[in-house]
Amino acid sequence: MQEPKIHILAETTHWLAISKPPGIVTEQHPRGKPSVETIVLNYLKANSRREKPFLGVVHRLDKVTSGVLLMAKKKSALKALNGAFRDRLVTKVYQVLITNMPPEETGTLTHHLVKNQRKMCAFIHDTPTTGSTEVILEYRVMRKESDCWLLEVRPLTGKFHQIRAQLAHIGCPVFGDEKYGGRKRIEPGIALHAFSLTFPDPTIEKQVTIHDDTAIDFWF
């Protein structure tokens, strides 16, 4: 199977940010299927003097999700960037296409999420329940696109399927996300795109923002 092509958005000696296409997993697959990690590792091997270059997965995007994905080229950078995510020093902005208008044009959604490991999905509750974790996101309606609405979403917590499950809970499933009740049209992913990532660069101690504005190209 031919490896998908991956576009590098930015690269330094310590990290690189890529535009993850939909339909491919982030981490190496035990059965040898294509993954972002293996493709980027092959890129580093081809462009590095080191036989075994280091590559660390800083964060993950679902297989069906596209957009900005950050990876570390040094162990020190991986440690620093993991710490930034843990301490919530990172801002993530998503573009999302939904088929129903939200109750308000802007809003904050606060729910309680329970991950179902067996079904690999998330259940959302309005009040705390056994095993639940509080999840919060902010959204605003950007514009209407045909019979859909384009949202900007900022998750303030980062939990499994959070955006997909929270939007479905208020009756606004992500376009193409059949798992959560969305209409099917987009292949091989869904209309959920990591549009930008702002994080503290561990080498210059300044905030860096990486954008990936390719989502509209394959949604319409």
Side-chain angles (χ1 to χ4, degrees), residues 4 14 19-21 29 34 44 57 76 81 87 107 112 118 120 131 133 142 147 149 161 165 171 185 187 203 207 212:
H14 285 70
S19 172
K20 177 193 172 298
H29 197 282
L44 293 179
V57 178
S76 58
L81 292 169
D87 297 337
H112 300 270
R118 185 175 61 86
M120 289 304 292
T133 302
M142 297 173 67
D147 59 344
W149 284 264
H161 288 190
R185 191 179 83 180
E187 291 291 348
T203 59
Q207 291 288 102
D212 180 4

Side-chain angles (χ1 to χ4, degrees), residues 29-185:
H29 197 282
R31 296 182 182 177
K33 294 182 180 180
S35 69
V36 174
E37 187 176 9
T38 53
I39 294 171
V40 174
L41 192 56
N42 288 337
Y43 160 78
L44 293 179
K45 288 178 180 177
N47 293 275
S48 172
R49 296 179 180 178
R50 299 175 61 185
E51 183 178 346
K52 294 183 178 180
F54 176 82
L55 181 65
V57 178
V58 177
H59 67 120
R60 297 155 186 80
L61 293 175
D62 292 343
K63 180 180 179 179
V64 293
T65 304
S66 59
V68 182
L69 186 65
L70 184 64
M71 310 190 90
K73 296 168 62 176
K74 293 184 181 294
K75 290 183 180 179
S76 58
L78 178 62
K79 182 179 179 180
L81 292 169
N82 280 341
F85 273 82
R86 181 187 64 246
D87 297 337
R88 298 187 181 181
L89 302 176
V90 176
T91 300
K92 295 177 281 186
V93 178
Y94 288 78
Q95 290 179 340
V96 189
L97 202 63
I98 59 175
T99 51
N100 296 319
M101 176 69 180
E104 306 288 341
E105 289 196 0
T106 62
T108 300
L109 304 181
T110 301
H111 296 114
H112 300 270
L113 180 149
V114 176
K115 179 181 177 180
N116 186 307
Q117 190 67 42
R118 185 175 61 86
K119 295 183 178 181
M120 289 304 292
C121 66
F123 293 102
I124 296 295
H125 302 268
D126 293 320
T127 57
T129 189
T130 303
S132 67
T133 302
E134 185 179 68
V135 288
I136 306 171
L137 66 77
E138 298 174 343
Y139 75 86
R140 71 178 181 92
V141 177
M142 297 173 67
R143 62 181 181 271
K144 194 174 189 299
E145 292 279 357
S146 184
D147 59 344
C148 302
W149 284 264
L150 183 64
L151 302 187
E152 177 185 272
V153 174
R154 296 173 181 260
L156 304 185
T157 52
K159 299 301 178 182
F160 177 79
H161 288 190
Q162 175 187 335
I163 296 174
R164 300 165 64 182
Q166 281 193 273
L167 290 178
H169 186 72
I170 65 167
C172 302
V174 177
F175 201 79
D177 194 2
E178 289 186 301
K179 181 183 284 285
Y180 291 98
R183 297 205 319 242
K184 181 176 176 61
R185 191 179 83 180

